[in-house]
Amino acid sequence: MQKSIQLKKRPVGTPTLEDFNQVDVAIPEPSEGEVLVRTVYISVDPYLRGRMNEGKSYVPPFQLNDVISSGVVGQVETSKSEHFSEGDVVIGTLGWQEYNLANEKTIRKIDHTQAPASAYLSILGMTGLTAYFGLLDIGKPQAGEMVVVSGAAGAVGSVVGQLAKIKGARVVGIVGSDEKANLIKNKFGFDEAINYKTENVGDALAKVCPNGIDVYFENVGGEIGDAVFPLLNNFARIPVCGAISAYNKSSADIGPRVQGYLIKTSSLMQGFTVGNYAPRFKEGADALAEWLKEGKLTYEETITEGFDHTIDAFLDLFKGANVGKAIVKVSDIQQ
Amino acid sequence: MQKSIQLKKRPVGTPTLEDFNQVDVAIPEPSEGEVLVRTVYISVDPYLRGRMNEGKSYVPPFQLNDVISSGVVGQVETSKSEHFSEGDVVIGTLGWQEYNLANEKTIRKIDHTQAPASAYLSILGMTGLTAYFGLLDIGKPQAGEMVVVSGAAGAVGSVVGQLAKIKGARVVGIVGSDEKANLIKNKFGFDEAINYKTENVGDALAKVCPNGIDVYFENVGGEIGDAVFPLLNNFARIPVCGAISAYNKSSADIGPRVQGYLIKTSSLMQGFTVGNYAPRFKEGADALAEWLKEGKLTYEETITEGFDHTIDAFLDLFKGANVGKAIVKVSDIQQ
């Protein structure tokens, strides 16, 4: 038997332990063209909260009493595919279980000798690609421009700031603790950091962005976003990646309407999801790997040990507790 | 002496007669390189409201006790420019006066034998170009897509709807009276019309857009915009041209935040002003003139007679009273 995490009921507001069931299920047997994958790392991500609601979004909702799934790095235990051998380290969207069956077409091998296997769930995976395409394709920062990033110590935000620096922009990060403020300045090279819990974000932004804001990478929404709009420069760009402040609201998310700000400044605001860029993933992954190798990019992970803490690691995302990419380590890679 | 309209004080909320002064001033004499222009038509536009506030916008604010200015068609009375002769019909941004001095570089001749002179302030002028670039450059409607236009009986909105039809889209217009609903369906060829004063806009849109909305041309903002966001399709485009519902608000304009909608649908929202497209004005004007000649475009004007009614014509814009482009006729073109 193995452990498996199912969605027990649809969360109302912030998810709690009671919304999930951890159950024992049989370890399945692969059929022709399938492999059995032992879970090594599970990626826990804020966007999964949206899939716990009913109704349409860019990915279909999780079904009740069905296993939760997300990005997983694992190792092939048994292969009935000619493309995979026992011991291969692979990545794919798989269930929150200790073992998963995977069709050979839905996983790919990764080279964990080039970068740590967990990096393929963060800077070299969807997280890094989200930062890459959102910032560079929508935000288009130019040398000397002012880029503001909310959720700046988070998995995506910390990469966004570094990419903006690579492009020669000045970068201000908004975070929720002094510890994170120090981290983004000292480790990720942000020029300035604002702690929204102790500072008035509008006043602080006006001070560190005396010439206005050219790019706002939106991870958070709510009142932090509200504070940015009055400071936009003409032709500003706002990639809208997340609105974590609103994910757990069961009431309406109300604030100043943006139309007037967008008209005054001819600014652009564009929602996106990394999946839109699937045809260009190789371009992004190659660029990120190159910058990582050159030492121009670094990353942070919050690794929670043990499958039994998977739900906790997910719930922690909404407490502002973690830094960088949140990952659960379930087992070791066997050499 | 001649009449001139000045901004007396900055309006709070909806402008009133008391915000303006109509005074008598001398008729000036042109210097070398200047012409004296007798006013024929004055364009009155909602965006001028924004220029009556203090603070930065895409055009500088009007100064107190200074003449208001906007698009004007006039006829040259006296010329000290080798490029203009007495009797030439010209267009430019000029003061709300019976006569204006104009530098030869700030006006251009129009051919009022090809189209009525007033059309150069509406469908062949900034209004038509605003619709052209906003819809085609940002909205990018495709054949078979669903386009929704607010302020649909207005100067810009009525052109937007016709351009969307030329591109093969289905078009729904939102208006404020049954008379306007009939007008946009019968004269401008919209497929459907919604009267926001008698119908629930969200319900009505859901009914006439059962497959969702691909392009929303925003002229109005406020609750009408709010009703559109939940119906956006993936990769929807929202050119943000105006927010007339908010122009006269002295309190904050509050409503549902848009970030969640934009993320869910990967939609784009972009503010613009026609001036952004100055290098492409000729392309737009040529296309509009061609469609007008072919009978694919038509237009409506609300012409107010007499300089003394200029302020009234401007104030009427905020009462939802006018249809099509609002123009004041001040004098006749002399043959």
Side-chain angles (χ1 to χ4, degrees), chain A residues 93-283:
Chain A
T93 298
L94 295 172
W96 287 8
Q97 309 193 128
E98 292 173 292
Y99 296 87
N100 279 281
L101 273 191
N103 182 291
E104 62 188 4
K105 291 177 183 151
T106 63
I107 55 173
R108 64 184 171 84
K109 283 183 234 187
I110 59 175
D111 182 355
H112 69 290
T113 63
Q114 288 295 309
S118 61
Y120 291 88
L121 292 177
S122 62
I123 191 140
L124 299 180
M126 292 303 135
T127 315
L129 292 170
T130 298
Y132 180 90
F133 290 108
L135 182 71
L136 302 185
D137 203 72
I138 301 173
K140 296 187 172 71
Q142 307 297 309
E145 285 194 327
M146 178 58 80
V147 175
V148 173
V149 187
S150 58
V156 172
S158 57
V159 182
V160 168
Q162 295 178 79
L163 294 177
K165 291 305 295 178
I166 289 173
K167 294 295 175 182
R170 275 185 69 77
V171 189
V172 175
I174 304 173
V175 295
S177 74
D178 289 342
E179 185 198 346
K180 289 181 180 179
N182 288 330
L183 180 81
I184 66 170
K185 286 204 285 190
N186 300 330
K187 176 157 185 176
F188 298 126
F190 284 63
D191 297 292
E192 302 282 352
I194 295 170
N195 178 350
Y196 74 86
K197 290 194 178 157
T198 59
E199 300 178 71
N200 175 303
V201 177
D203 294 347
L205 279 173
K207 201 169 148 190
V208 296
C209 308
N211 300 315
I213 295 169
D214 301 296
V215 178
Y216 173 53
F217 195 99
E218 174 71 289
N219 278 316
V220 165
E223 293 178 8
I224 291 176
D226 299 345
V228 171
F229 286 100
L231 298 171
L232 294 178
N233 285 333
N234 285 343
F235 303 103
R237 290 83 64 197
I238 306 176
V240 186
C241 176
I244 196 169
S245 74
Y247 289 176
N248 294 325
K249 278 198 179 169
S250 38
S251 60
D253 178 34
I254 301 287
R257 292 196 182 90
V258 299
Q259 282 92 328
Y261 297 114
L262 299 183
I263 295 170
K264 268 189 201 168
T265 58
S266 292
S267 289
L268 175 150
M269 197 171 176
Q270 187 168 3
F272 74 101
T273 177
V274 66
N276 303 347
Y277 295 95
R280 293 173 54 195
F281 277 177
K282 190 173 170 347
E283 165 204 329

